[in-house]
Amino acid sequence: MRFSSRSLIFSLTASGCIGLRCFSYGIASNYSQNSAYILSASGAIHNLAEDSASSSSSSRLFSSASPTSEMPVDPEYPGTAVERMLAVRSRVANLTQEELNANWEDVRRKLLWAGGLKDLPTAIPGQGYTGHSFNDYNHVDLTCMLDEVSYNQNDGTVQQIARGNLLGPGIRIASLPELGPGGSWSTCANGCNKDPPQDVAHIQFRSRIAYKLVWCPTEKFDTFVLVDDDGKELTRGTPTGNLPRIMERQANYRIVMGSKYATAADEIAKSMSTSATN
């Protein structure tokens, strides 16, 4: 994973914290308060407050001794490519409203790019094809998984998904390398309304999602919201042009209805309805 000389800074809040540990040190740390962390060019993650208070190496969350030994791991979902997931959310945070309210195909390409995926609408399905991504009700979970789990298959645990469901070759072809180790894919969201989620990301790949696209239950279902693994809003948009079919957008909301992933969409729809009546 390469970065410029400037480091990337992420703010991890209590509502969106991720428990991380390091392979080489066996450290588990829950970010229980609003703290700033810095991801250095070598891949090391440092707590800025702790580093400023102490110059000792023990103040670091991860040592910079070896890039391979310091890869952050999510103990609950160890298949998550954590660095890549955070890089995706950083790209999402930098998308402008102009970009998110543009023609749908342009918006969709931006969502692919932010998620670390190539726009490959003419590729063979199973060999990197991403023309379906965000274009139906189901392929809306942008998942960042480690290389070693990308060839995992569905053993039948994920309902309404074919047994096998081998996605590894397509993930390898379609993933943009600059966002870090692992790969990206727009996985099926079926089962995400259960607690814990029983979808492809969480079961087949043992991975959190970087973001989920949810169409809000407004009158026209023409506004979407991107939410993180905890259901917190990352951004939203109201694109123009040829959107996915209305039946797909409505079905997309139905598969999250009643779950944490529907909360932001419900709030947006309620707010828009109130504004329309005033």
Side-chain angles (χ1 to χ4, degrees):
M1 182 175 185
R2 294 191 175 184
F3 297 95
S4 65
S5 58
R6 294 191 304 171
S7 299
L8 298 177
I9 297 178
F10 302 101
S11 178
L12 304 180
T13 64
S15 62
C17 65
I18 303 172
L20 301 178
R21 64 181 174 85
C22 178
F23 275 125
S24 59
Y25 294 92
I27 298 172
S29 175
N30 289 318
Y31 304 139
S32 59
Q33 55 187 344
N34 201 13
S35 302
Y37 293 85
I38 186 167
L39 180 61
S40 71
S42 67
I45 301 177
H46 306 280
N47 184 321
L48 297 184
E50 289 180 0
D51 280 357
S52 63
S54 171
S55 60
S56 69
S57 60
S58 62
S59 67
R60 298 179 180 180
L61 284 178
F62 300 99
S63 167
S64 59
S66 168
T68 56
S69 66
E70 63 193 27
M71 182 180 293
V73 176
D74 183 323
E76 186 175 1
Y77 290 102
T80 308
V82 177
E83 289 183 18
R84 188 176 183 89
M85 179 185 70
L86 294 177
V88 166
R89 290 182 185 167
S90 179
R91 278 190 171 183
V92 167
N94 286 316
L95 293 175
T96 67
Q97 282 303 297
E98 182 179 2
E99 290 172 324
L100 294 167
N101 294 337
N103 181 275
W104 168 245
E105 269 308 306
D106 293 329
V107 173
R108 197 182 73 86
R109 292 188 189 99
K110 282 292 184 181
L111 296 180
L112 288 170
W113 170 82
L117 281 173
K118 302 171 186 175
D119 178 30
L120 300 175
T122 60
I124 298 172
Q127 296 296 317
Y129 175 72
T130 55
H132 64 307
S133 301
F134 312 114
N135 257 338
D136 62 15
Y137 79 97
N138 199 20
H139 293 90
V140 294
D141 282 354
L142 197 290
T143 305
C144 297
M145 71 290 289
L146 296 173
D147 288 333
E148 53 263 39
V149 303
S150 65
Y151 279 74
N152 284 6
Q153 299 186 50
N154 177 30
D155 62 3
T157 304
V158 184
Q159 301 298 307
Q160 300 179 326
I161 299 296
R163 281 183 176 270
N165 192 37
L166 180 62
L167 301 175
I171 293 170
R172 177 178 53 80
I173 293 168
S175 294
L176 296 171
E178 66 265 23
L179 288 186
S184 299
W185 198 247
S186 55
T187 57
C188 293
N190 283 338
C192 70
N193 60 330
K194 298 179 181 179
D195 187 16
Q198 300 293 299
D199 50 40
V200 169
H202 294 88
I203 299 300
Q204 183 171 331
F205 295 119
R206 298 299 299 159
S207 173
R208 295 183 191 272
I209 58 169
Y211 67 77
K212 182 192 299 289
L213 183 147
V214 181
W215 289 98
C216 303
T218 59
E219 182 179 357
K220 296 182 179 180
F221 278 82
D222 57 355
T223 293
F224 69 83
V225 60
L226 302 185
V227 298
D228 67 13
D229 198 71
D230 291 323
K232 305 299 182 182
E233 179 178 351
L234 298 172
T235 192
R236 68 180 77 172
T238 305
T240 60
N242 190 22
L243 305 181
R245 294 184 305 167
I246 182 68
M247 292 178 61
E248 298 284 349
R249 305 193 314 264
Q250 292 170 334
N252 165 262
Y253 173 73
R254 285 198 298 271
I255 65 173
V256 304
M257 189 166 55
S259 75
K260 61 183 178 181
Y261 298 121
T263 301
D266 290 340
E267 291 174 351
I268 291 169
K270 181 179 179 180
S271 174
M272 294 179 71
S273 176
T274 301
S275 298
T277 57
N278 289 340

